[in-house]
Every structure is written in C-alpha cells, then in structure tokens.
Amino acid sequence: MKKAYHHGNLRETLLEQARIELEERGIEVLSLRRIAQRAGVSHTAFAHHFGDARGLLTALTAYGYERLGQNLGRARAEAVPHDQDRLVASGLAYVEFALGHPQMFTLMFASKYPNFSDPALDKASMAAFSSFIEDVRRGRKASKPDEESVDVPAMASWARIHGLALLLLTGRMRSVLALDPDRRREAIIDIITVG
Amino acid sequence: MKKAYHHGNLRETLLEQARIELEERGIEVLSLRRIAQRAGVSHTAFAHHFGDARGLLTALTAYGYERLGQNLGRARAEAVPHDQDRLVASGLAYVEFALGHPQMFTLMFASKYPNFSDPALDKASMAAFSSFIEDVRRGRKASKPDEESVDVPAMASWARIHGLALLLLTGRMRSVLALDPDRRREAIIDIITVG
DNA sequence: TGTACATCAGTGAACGCGCGTTCACTGATGTAC
DNA sequence: TGTACATCAGTGAACGCGCGTTCACTGATGTAC
C-alpha cells in the first residue's frame, strides 16, 4: 500500500497519538516531536492543524472533556432511573475516568498549559460539568437555587467525588487502594453515598 | 558589608527562593538556574545541598507538607475543643492552605517529579495527613475501625475537603469563587459541614 | 474533458534557547597535634 | 598559640541535549473556465 503524501485524517491521528503519549509518559515531558514520530509524520506538520504547541494541548484537553462527558452520559443512561442511582452511577463513572486516565485527568484539572478560554475547550468542559452537576443536584433532592447563590449540597457532593478521584489517583487513601477491584468499587460507592 | 564566601544558611535560602519561584511562575517552568540567581549564588551550588534537581523538588515538597502540618496544627489548637469545631477548623485551614499556595499544593498532590519515597518527605506528609485524618475521624464521631478496613465516613470527609480545595483553586465552582472573602468563607464551611 | 492555477498538507534542514550536569578550581573553615 | 592539612562550600566555563519554531520547499488536491 502506497503511503499517501496527504494523510487525510492527520488531525485525529495526532490527537490520538498525543493521548497515548500523555498517558504513557506524562504531561511534564510531552513533546511534539515524539508525538509526530508516533504518527509517522514530520514534527512540523502540527502547525497546519493546531498552530503551536499550546494549541495541541488545548485540543487534547477538549478531547478529554468530550470523553469524560460521554462516559458520564453512558453511566447516566444505564442507571435505573432513580435520581439517587443516577448520582451513584455518575459519581462512579467520574472516579473511574480519573483512575483510568490519570494523566488526562491531571491535564484537565491541574495543568496551566491548555488555553481554557478557547471556545471549543470551554464548550466541552461546560457540557461535561453541567450534566454531571445536574445529576448531583437531582440525587441530593435539592431544588435548583436562584442563579446567584451557592447550591451547597450539590457542591458538597461534587467536591467529595472530585476529591475521592484525586486522592485515589495520587496514591493517597491507601486503605482503599489496597482492596481488590470489586471491593474497591464497593468502597467508592460507600464513600460517595455516606450521609 | 562584605559578602562572605560561605553563605552559612544556603540550604534554607535556596528552599525559600524555590518556594517563591514556584508560586510566582509555576512548577512547569521551575529552573535551578533562576532559583540560584534569586539567591545570589551560582547555579552549581545546589549540588552540595540537594544532589540533583529532583532532590531540590523533593525537599521543597517536604517543606510544603511541613507548612501544611503547621497550619493544621495551629487551626486545631485555636478551635474551641469540640470535635466538630476541630473538623471545621482543620478543613478550613486545609482549603485555605491550598488557595494561598496553589502551586505548592499542586506540587504536593499532583506532580510526578518529587521522590515520594524519600524518607524525609514521607515523614512530613504522613505527619500532616495522620493528624488531619484524626481530626476528621473525631469530628465524624466514627470510632477507629480495625486496621484492615476502610473508615468510610472519615475518607468521605477528607475527600470532600480535598476536592473542594482543588475545585476552587483550579477555578471551577464559579458560584463560590464569585463571593466576597467573608461570604466565601461561610460557603466553604457550609460545604464542609453539610450532611 | 482539459488545463491553469490557487490552496492545502506535509517535508526536512537549520536555528537559538534554556536547561541540568560535569569539571577542575579556589576560598573558607575545622581540627589534630 | 601556631601550623599543617583535610574537608566543606561555592565558582564559572563548557558541554550536550531536546525542545518548539522558522523557513523555503514540494507534492497533492480542488476548482474555475
């Protein structure tokens, strides 16, 4: 098969290879040159699709939020339709996303490199968050407060789920990490649902 | 005043300048050379005190845990001695430490650079965590479970406080960030203490 | 259907940059006698 | 109290490295007529 000069799908290929490099080596040593090498393309080919290095990171982060949003949506759809079950399913999917894609999660939540005011990134992250927070809110039986005030119960649940994800993926909470997968899953659900 | 050839206190000076550089510019662009320049010393002077670059980051992270531990201890001592008040005071101090030292907090909890198996770092982080978790446990009125099982209520409170800190410092939770300092403090306490 | 030409997509060499580390060194300090 | 000498603390030049970017380019594609 002759290799075409024009790739046809290079943007998606570069994003996918960037995702793999990210998980394998970590944010802190991501390199355009290595990603391009993985994709079998010269490292200057990036410019046509992403502008500069930050553009790639921004697109990669948006891609991560899209995947998180999809995972949450799937979990939501599979949960039997009681609000409480939906909160548990969403929360579990959130934590599992973090554990399954630790570097991506770190990029999405801790990194200063992506441009979070990029419209596509903002749209993807708002979509993931807002549906998740809606699940949380309904699971807590809290009515949506007026626009200006803080929805304390919903924020409390979100904070707990987010913190649980991060403490687990950074290796704290050794008592939970020591469990086998099934029991760990149960412990995560217990922690999400405890009064 | 003649500048001494031997500094006398260079290790502490370098750590302090590293801390300032960290907060001002961020983990991702920390540089030995710039820190040394701040301290008025050649960049090769590091080797005598920290070995290599990772050694400095490890020492800096340990320093962060010591300061977190001190802040928690101070908050604990000032709280009127009801267990619930102590949980609130510790939790608030935890969140305020994160907001006051965002880069340090990120280094302590998300970075892969420090060597977390370094004995001094391990000791400092265990000291900060264990006293904090003890506060949480007593505030939840949960008796300490046997060594092997998971203390679900304590982990749930820790996760909530940790997640709250991170969601705030990464700019999520806009409804809380929009408040003025006093009302924000109240909202943080509400979120920590809500059932 | 053919052709001219603009645009798009990818190449590869070269660049400068800041980095951490290595090296041989020098000045200051501490200590044994 | 003096002196010899080992050790400690800091210097500054040089190194190689991988990085992202720039540049002039070439091949492929799309389109107007």
Side-chain angles (χ1 to χ4, degrees), chain A residues 28 65 103 108-109 111-113 129 150 155-156 159-160 162-164 166-167 170 172-173 175 191 194-195, chain B residues 28 65 103 108-109 111-113 116 129 150 155-156 159-160 162-164 166-167 170 172-173 175 194-195:
Chain A
E28 287 150 335
Y65 275 108
Q103 296 288 343
M108 288 159 63
F109 283 101
S111 175
K112 291 301 191 321
Y113 276 148
F129 284 146
V150 176
M155 293 301 107
R160 182 182 286 168
H162 190 74
L164 180 58
L166 277 162
L167 288 172
T170 55
R172 275 68 180 188
M173 286 212 178
S175 62
I191 292 172
V194 72
Chain B
E28 286 150 335
Y65 276 108
Q103 297 287 342
M108 289 159 62
F109 283 100
S111 175
K112 291 303 192 317
Y113 276 146
F116 283 100
F129 285 146
V150 175
M155 294 300 108
R160 182 182 287 169
H162 190 74
L164 180 57
L166 278 162
L167 287 172
T170 55
R172 274 69 179 187
M173 286 211 179
S175 62
V194 73

Side-chain angles (χ1 to χ4, degrees), chain A:
Chain A
M1 177 184 165
K2 185 169 168 295
K3 197 189 161 200
Y5 188 89
H6 280 200
H7 186 286
N9 203 23
L10 185 55
R11 192 189 142 91
E12 279 64 36
T13 301
L14 287 173
L15 269 184
E16 177 62 12
Q17 296 304 321
R19 193 186 64 74
I20 296 172
E21 270 285 307
L22 173 66
E23 287 304 336
E24 287 184 358
R25 331 230 349 182
I27 303 165
E28 287 150 335
V29 294
L30 259 199
S31 140
L32 291 191
R33 295 173 102 106
R34 219 161 35 221
I35 296 164
Q37 192 181 15
R38 288 192 84 110
V41 104
S42 85
H43 67 275
T44 53
F46 271 97
H48 293 289
H49 298 283
F50 300 104
D52 59 11
R54 196 174 190 215
L56 170 70
L57 278 175
T58 300
L60 184 57
T61 308
Y63 181 59
Y65 275 108
E66 284 160 18
R67 292 180 50 133
L68 173 60
Q70 288 162 12
N71 285 17
L72 294 177
R74 208 177 302 123
R76 186 181 303 125
E78 283 171 4
V80 297
H82 294 140
D83 290 340
Q84 171 67 16
D85 296 333
R86 212 193 295 210
L87 166 58
V88 172
S90 275
L92 190 58
Y94 194 102
V95 173
E96 284 176 346
F97 181 87
L99 297 183
H101 311 87
Q103 296 288 343
M104 178 62 94
F105 199 76
T106 304
L107 178 66
M108 288 159 63
F109 283 101
S111 175
K112 291 301 191 321
Y113 276 148
N115 175 14
F116 283 100
S117 26
D118 175 79
L121 172 50
D122 191 62
K123 189 180 160 209
S125 75
M126 290 304 278
F129 284 146
S130 60
S131 64
F132 175 69
I133 288 177
E134 188 55 33
D135 288 344
V136 168
R137 181 149 29 221
R138 295 172 58 170
R140 306 275 316 197
K141 313 257 185 285
S143 60
K144 185 168 165 51
D146 62 285
E147 205 55 44
E148 298 301 309
S149 71
V150 176
D151 182 349
V152 168
M155 293 301 107
S157 288
W158 183 21
R160 182 182 286 168
I161 290 163
H162 190 74
L164 180 58
L166 277 162
L167 288 172
L168 289 172
L169 80 75
T170 55
R172 275 68 180 188
M173 286 212 178
R174 295 179 190 174
S175 62
V176 176
L177 289 169
L179 302 173
D180 64 77
D182 283 352
R183 296 204 56 218
R184 186 191 299 174
R185 194 164 178 281
E186 285 168 23
I188 291 171
I189 292 173
D190 288 347
I191 292 172
I192 292 174
T193 53
V194 72

Side-chain angles (χ1 to χ4, degrees), chain B residues 97-146:
Chain B
F97 181 88
L99 297 183
H101 312 88
Q103 297 287 342
M104 178 62 94
F105 199 76
T106 305
L107 178 66
M108 289 159 62
F109 283 100
S111 175
K112 291 303 192 317
Y113 276 146
N115 175 14
F116 283 100
S117 27
D118 174 78
L121 172 51
D122 190 62
K123 189 180 158 207
S125 75
M126 290 304 277
F129 285 146
S130 60
S131 65
F132 175 70
I133 289 177
E134 188 55 32
D135 288 344
V136 169
R137 180 145 34 218
R138 293 171 61 169
R140 304 278 313 196
K141 313 258 186 280
S143 59
K144 186 168 161 55
D146 61 284

